[in-house]
Amino acid sequence: MTIRLDVAGIGVGPFNLSVAALLAPLSELKTGFFERRPAFDWHPGMMLPGTRLQTSFLKDLVTSADPTSPYSFLAYLVAKQRFYRFINAEFPRIERREFADYLRWVAQQLPNLHFGSEIRDVRHNGDCFVLSFSDRQIEAEQLVVATGSVPHVPDWGAPHLGEQALHASQYMTTPLNLTGKNVVVIGGGQSGTEIVLDLMNGARGELASLTLVSRRPTLEPLDESPFTNEFFTPDYVSAFHRLPEERKPAIVERQKLASDGISPDTLRELTQALYVADFLDPGQSRPSLLPFREVCAMRRDGKALRLSMHNGFNGEDEELSADLVIFATGYRSVLPSCLAPLSERIRRARNGRLALREDFSADWDGPAEQRLFFQNAGRLSHGIADPQLSLAAWRSAVIANSLLGRRHYNDSDAAAPLHWTAPEQPTAPTAKAA
């Protein structure tokens, strides 16, 4: 017998985990979220000891939508019997490892998750969506799609991936003994800096040399000042979504350091480590920091790799030799391959991205009452907060309310103190007749 769901989720990362947590208590909806991996795991390759989230623990999977949810981070602390220890420790930011454990804990509680379930393809038969697995089919009225993030490696580096070149996402899951090796880290963001600090601490042996290469003009701090943080609010996302498409890319680019900079604490830790290496422990090796470099090619040179790069500061070309290259070059968003049968039916905006409505549903040529909602696909439709954890619970509330057809969860907040558009002028009082 074919099972029919009201809502099917494709993929279970943090974003769909958030939606699943909000939908699980609702008996009126039959939901199921499917993931090909055997269990939930969040960026295992980047769980370096001591690394911290760049956002508040209150911006968890559910709290802004439902602070009474049993799936909040505070509920997790109570369940783990460490609420008071956590409060007394006064963490300015929680460790990434603890947040990953929280996400796993939620995944273990939810009854509507199905791991080890790979979806082969998704079609629409004129009546509903049909999800095909190796051993069964499931029908669904609505879909919530977790757009996957895959490691990004520049075209010049991809052919060399292997024993001497890897992406940062593999750093903690790859056995590395780098004693006597020349190591180059590509990328001057948070991940690249964290890896440099880890290597400086001797976690992978005593290196012959360590070099950080970044095309940014310096190691740039994350802008987490109060008014910049207004970009991560429902009020701003709503205003941004209403903008004409052609205005959005330039605005997102100007806001880059609001989401893609290095935490000030991490920068402080690095500069202190450099001070110690230079003045207090001269025997300790210290990294070479090379900003403003654009790597344009990499080739094999005997047993080593040779990088060719352009120095944007003085205009000169430079070369660098490495025994290992680590790409801290971020991720790119991709649609799940199982959606290929529906791909041509989903409208794209002029920039090639999905055309998403304010409730994160896509514009497609199928029945209007049967919708596809997309997570982590709206950076150029909804703003820089879209790929971040900051508004995960709010976006899930928007999607849940749209699925229900009513406002069940909180999906709004006070207006920002900044006016993104011209404020309404008060109406002048009408003069009384004499």
Side-chain angles (χ1 to χ4, degrees):
M1 183 180 69
T2 301
I3 297 174
R4 185 147 180 162
L5 300 173
D6 295 303
V7 182
I10 299 176
V12 182
F15 296 148
N16 260 6
L17 189 62
S18 174
V19 175
L22 292 184
L23 295 184
L26 306 178
S27 58
E28 64 206 89
L29 290 179
K30 190 174 183 179
T31 66
F33 288 74
F34 303 93
E35 169 61 49
R36 61 179 174 80
R37 294 175 299 172
F40 187 90
D41 208 359
W42 184 55
H43 293 310
M46 281 304 296
M47 290 298 148
L48 285 77
T51 55
R52 302 183 184 278
L53 286 185
Q54 291 184 314
T55 188
S56 167
F57 66 84
L58 290 176
K59 295 180 177 181
D60 60 11
L61 297 176
V62 294
T63 294
S64 73
D66 178 11
T68 67
S69 171
Y71 306 119
S72 70
F73 182 77
L74 292 178
Y76 157 83
L77 291 176
V78 172
K80 294 288 186 177
Q81 297 187 341
R82 57 180 187 243
F83 176 82
Y84 292 104
R85 288 288 301 274
F86 177 85
I87 295 298
N88 292 339
E90 296 185 345
F91 290 109
R93 290 283 191 270
I94 68 169
E95 281 207 26
R96 198 178 292 152
R97 292 182 297 177
E98 185 166 32
F99 198 77
D101 190 58
Y102 156 66
L103 296 177
R104 278 192 298 270
W105 175 81
V106 173
Q108 291 163 1
Q109 314 301 310
L110 291 175
N112 53 352
L113 303 185
H114 304 276
F115 290 95
S117 299
E118 183 173 5
I119 302 171
R120 299 289 182 85
D121 64 60
V122 182
R123 301 175 187 272
H124 194 275
N125 64 7
D127 175 54
C128 64
F129 295 104
V130 180
L131 288 67
S132 296
F133 301 80
S134 61
D135 58 349
R136 68 196 189 282
Q137 287 188 335
I138 289 178
E139 297 178 347
E141 292 289 326
Q142 317 266 4
L143 296 181
V144 182
V145 181
T147 302
S149 294
V150 298
H152 168 68
V153 174
D155 291 342
W156 50 261
H160 299 280
L161 289 174
E163 292 185 0
Q164 289 186 272
L166 57 91
H167 189 268
S169 60
Q170 302 170 284
Y171 179 72
M172 289 298 291
T173 54
T174 303
L176 295 171
N177 184 351
L178 302 177
T179 299
K181 302 290 186 181
N182 298 303
V183 179
V184 174
V185 178
I186 307 290
Q190 181 72 20
S191 296
T193 308
E194 288 173 352
I195 289 173
V196 165
L197 281 166
D198 193 63
L199 292 172
M200 285 184 71
N201 291 334
R204 303 303 178 99
E206 293 297 322
L207 280 58
S209 69
L210 173 60
T211 306
L212 176 68
V213 177
S214 174
R215 61 185 176 186
R216 303 185 190 194
T218 187
L219 298 185
E220 298 175 319
L222 180 74
D223 185 353
E224 50 186 354
S225 54
F227 290 107
T228 295
N229 280 338
E230 291 295 335
F231 298 149
F232 300 87
T233 61
D235 184 66
Y236 177 78
V237 173
S238 179
F240 184 87
H241 187 268
R242 293 193 297 268
L243 288 173
E245 283 181 23
E246 61 272 13
R247 295 192 61 81
K248 294 180 178 181
I251 293 175
V252 167
E253 183 60 29
R254 285 200 299 271
Q255 297 169 348
K256 184 173 183 177
L257 290 178
S259 63
D260 191 22
I262 305 169
S263 294
D265 286 345
T266 304
L267 288 174
R268 188 175 300 109
E269 185 180 354
L270 177 60
T271 195
Q272 289 174 355
L274 293 171
Y275 182 94
V276 170
D278 284 343
F279 304 113
L280 306 181
D281 191 3
Q284 179 184 343
S285 62
R286 50 110 61 213
S288 296
L289 307 180
L290 307 183
F292 233 139
R293 267 71 166 189
E294 181 77 36
V295 181
C296 51
M298 187 164 71
R299 68 184 188 277
R300 183 157 297 284
D301 183 17
K303 293 183 178 181
L305 294 172
R306 195 80 176 169
L307 289 82
S308 300
M309 54 193 179
H310 180 73
N311 187 325
F313 182 72
N314 61 13
E316 296 182 357
D317 293 325
E318 301 171 349
E319 290 204 338
L320 189 63
S321 182
D323 298 307
L324 176 70
V325 175
I326 301 173
F327 292 100
T329 44
Y331 299 80
R332 58 185 177 87
S333 180
V334 295
L335 293 183
S337 59
C338 63
L339 286 181
L342 296 176
S343 181
E344 296 301 319
R345 304 184 63 179
I346 304 172
R347 189 176 75 83
R348 274 14 185 221
R350 276 175 288 180
N351 56 32
R353 303 293 184 100
L354 296 177
L356 298 183
R357 302 184 182 95
E358 192 166 3
D359 67 353
F360 300 94
S361 64
D363 185 2
W364 79 303
D365 67 2
E369 69 277 8
Q370 293 177 336
R371 294 163 296 173
L372 299 95
F373 296 86
F374 285 90
Q375 304 236 52
N376 192 18
R379 187 167 178 266
L380 290 183
S381 62
H382 289 73
I384 61 164
D386 194 74
Q388 310 296 322
L389 286 169
S390 295
L391 289 180
W394 167 78
R395 178 173 56 197
S396 296
V398 170
I399 293 172
N401 290 344
S402 187
L403 288 166
L404 290 165
R406 69 177 193 279
R407 190 172 182 266
H408 180 82
Y409 286 112
N410 175 56
D411 60 3
S412 62
D413 201 52
L418 304 171
H419 294 289
W420 307 112
T421 57
E424 294 184 8
Q425 298 297 318
T427 304
T430 304
K432 295 182 178 179

